[in-house]
Amino acid sequence: MAGNRTLTIIKPDAFNAGKAGLILAHLEKQGFALIAARVMKLTPAQAGEFYAVHKGRPFYPELVEFMTSDYCMPMVLEKGDAVLALRDAIGATDPAEAAPGTVRKLYAESKGRNAIHASDSDENAAREARFFFAETDLIR
Ligand code: CMP
């Protein structure tokens, strides 16, 4: 059965542009509940570990550089079938291909600077949530 929690990150482009509140409100309106949140600047080691699966891809150095360039906002969100629901809500990786009304269509600039991250499986959601949060950081 699909899990009801997922991990998202408001990326430095959107956080810097003052869009964190708008994006969270957008997601809350769609039924996502906020379970944990923090604001932080990732170190290169943290970003490298978080995106280790993409190591070796041509965009990896640019991705790590971007994700460490300024503050970001990791959050755990809750909703039924959370991983799929959030991926639907944020839209395609490239905002040019994202559906109308999705977070990336509304707030992202490009494939690299694409406003928001969302876990792509229940397994990764659990791993990524543990990456940023202790059990005691979650409200329930
Ligand atoms: P995200 O959902 O955070 O997961 C991996 C990220 O790699 C992705 O969003 C994009 O920001 C980034 N990415 C994927 N493909 C490209 C690409 N072709 N060029 C630049 N960045 C990319």
Side-chain angles (χ1 to χ4, degrees), residues 11 50-51 54 57 59 62-63 66-67 87 90 93 104 110-114 116-118:
K11 295 187 179 183
F50 186 81
Y51 282 116
H54 296 302
R57 308 273 289 272
F59 59 84
E62 184 191 316
L63 176 61
F66 166 58
M67 289 302 292
R87 291 189 76 79
I90 72 172
T93 304
R104 284 173 173 156
S110 64
K111 209 173 192 176
R113 297 171 64 85
N114 65 353
I116 191 164
H117 165 84

Side-chain angles (χ1 to χ4, degrees), residues 1-139:
M1 196 177 85
N4 65 349
R5 288 188 181 181
T6 190
L7 185 283
T8 186
I9 307 173
I10 302 204
K11 295 187 179 183
D13 56 333
F15 190 84
N16 242 325
K19 304 297 185 194
L22 284 170
I23 292 172
L24 179 56
H26 181 92
L27 295 175
E28 286 180 324
K29 267 188 228 156
Q30 295 186 21
F32 290 93
L34 183 60
I35 301 298
R38 63 188 289 197
V39 171
M40 64 187 295
K41 197 185 259 190
L42 289 170
T43 65
Q46 285 173 317
E49 187 186 339
F50 186 81
Y51 282 116
V53 67
H54 296 302
K55 203 165 180 176
R57 308 273 289 272
F59 59 84
Y60 179 78
E62 184 191 316
L63 176 61
V64 170
E65 193 188 339
F66 166 58
M67 289 302 292
T68 56
S69 64
D70 216 320
Y71 289 92
C72 67
M73 189 173 172
M75 299 185 281
V76 175
L77 298 177
E78 188 175 82
K79 187 179 175 175
D81 208 352
V83 166
L84 203 61
L86 187 62
R87 291 189 76 79
D88 276 354
I90 72 172
T93 304
D94 184 345
E97 291 164 15
T102 58
V103 173
R104 284 173 173 156
K105 183 54 117 189
L106 291 166
Y107 301 111
E109 295 170 25
S110 64
K111 209 173 192 176
R113 297 171 64 85
N114 65 353
I116 191 164
H117 165 84
S119 306
D120 64 3
S121 66
D122 285 341
E123 191 188 349
N124 282 337
R127 181 184 65 78
E128 293 176 3
R130 277 197 306 274
F131 187 89
F132 291 111
F133 299 101
E135 204 59 44
T136 48
D137 295 325
L138 309 176
I139 63 164

